[in-house]
Amino acid sequence: MNHSLINKTGRGRAALFTVSLILLFAGNLFAQGNRLFHIERSKNKNLVCYDVNLANGVLNAKEPITVYWLNQEDKPGQTNGLSAIEKRFAYGYKVVSKGEDTCEVTLSAYSDRKLTIRKLNGKYISLITIDNQPAILQKLYVQAKGKNALTVEYVELFGITLDSGKAVSEKVSQ
C-alpha cells in the first residue's frame, strides 16, 4: 500500500474541509452584515432572518427587506424562503411609507409598531420603540403557548438604545 497517496488524500480532504469552513464562515459574515434583525422561536432553533435589500447600494424602497428561514437544526446553514401564508400572516411585512434611502414598515403579525429602516454610521438598521425608548432592533423572541406554535404567549423585543447604546428589552403579551 502506498502511504504517501493516503497522506496526500488525507491532506486534500482536510484542505477541502478547511476551505469549506472558511467559505461558510465568510457567507455567514456577509449575511450578518446585511442583517437588520431576526426572530427566534420557542418551537425550535431555526431563525426567521430580516436582511436589508439593496439595489446598487441604496435601499430598495419597493422591497426593503429580504425575509427567509435560516435552518439551525437538521440542515444547519440552509436557507429557505417564506410560504405565502407565512408572509401574509406571520413573518412578512408591509411598507407603510418611503423616503430617500429610508422607509417605514410593519410586521404582518404585529402591525401596531412601526419599524424604520435607515442608514446609521454607514450601516442599515431597523429602528423601533422598545420599552418607550428609540432603539435598534436586534431580535424578537416568540414564545408559543404550550405545544401549539400558532398561539403566541408573548413576544420579547431586544435591541440597543439609540442614545446610550445600552441593551434594552420589552416583553409584549397578547
Side-chain angles (χ1 to χ4, degrees):
M1 180 179 248
N2 186 342
H3 293 289
S4 62
L5 181 61
I6 293 171
N7 288 339
K8 286 180 184 176
T9 305
R11 274 186 261 152
R13 285 185 186 145
L16 182 61
F17 179 72
T18 302
V19 168
S20 297
L21 284 177
I22 290 169
L23 290 174
L24 179 63
F25 181 70
N28 285 341
L29 280 178
F30 177 77
Q32 290 179 4
N34 290 328
R35 178 82 35 88
L36 294 168
F37 61 94
H38 66 268
I39 295 177
E40 296 175 359
R41 305 168 314 132
S42 61
K43 181 179 177 183
N44 59 38
K45 293 180 183 179
N46 298 332
L47 303 177
V48 182
C49 299
Y50 294 76
D51 293 356
V52 66
N53 184 19
L54 304 177
N56 299 321
V58 178
L59 185 66
N60 181 334
K62 288 185 178 182
E63 288 188 46
I65 304 172
T66 301
V67 186
Y68 59 93
W69 287 100
L70 177 60
N71 192 310
Q72 303 275 63
E73 289 194 334
D74 58 333
K75 296 180 183 176
Q78 184 176 359
T79 60
N80 295 309
L82 301 179
S83 71
I85 291 173
E86 289 170 336
K87 283 180 186 177
R88 184 165 183 193
F89 296 108
Y91 304 114
Y93 67 93
K94 178 181 175 186
V95 176
V96 177
S97 66
K98 304 173 195 176
E100 188 169 320
D101 211 23
T102 184
C103 70
E104 281 189 338
V105 301
T106 57
L107 298 178
S108 298
Y110 191 59
S111 60
D112 293 348
R113 234 179 262 207
K114 292 180 185 174
L115 299 162
T116 302
I117 311 301
R118 71 176 181 96
K119 202 179 249 188
L120 178 68
N121 299 326
K123 183 180 186 310
Y124 284 92
I125 59 167
S126 178
L127 293 175
I128 192 169
T129 301
I130 301 176
D131 196 27
N132 297 315
Q133 301 174 70
I136 299 169
L137 181 63
Q138 294 178 309
K139 73 176 180 178
L140 292 96
Y141 175 77
V142 178
Q143 176 65 49
K145 281 188 181 177
K147 294 184 181 186
N148 183 356
L150 300 176
T151 307
V152 174
E153 186 176 329
Y154 66 86
V155 174
E156 196 162 5
L157 294 87
F158 295 89
I160 299 173
T161 60
L162 203 52
D163 58 354
S164 68
K166 292 184 179 180
V168 65
S169 65
E170 178 182 354
K171 190 174 184 178
V172 180
S173 299
Q174 296 200 349

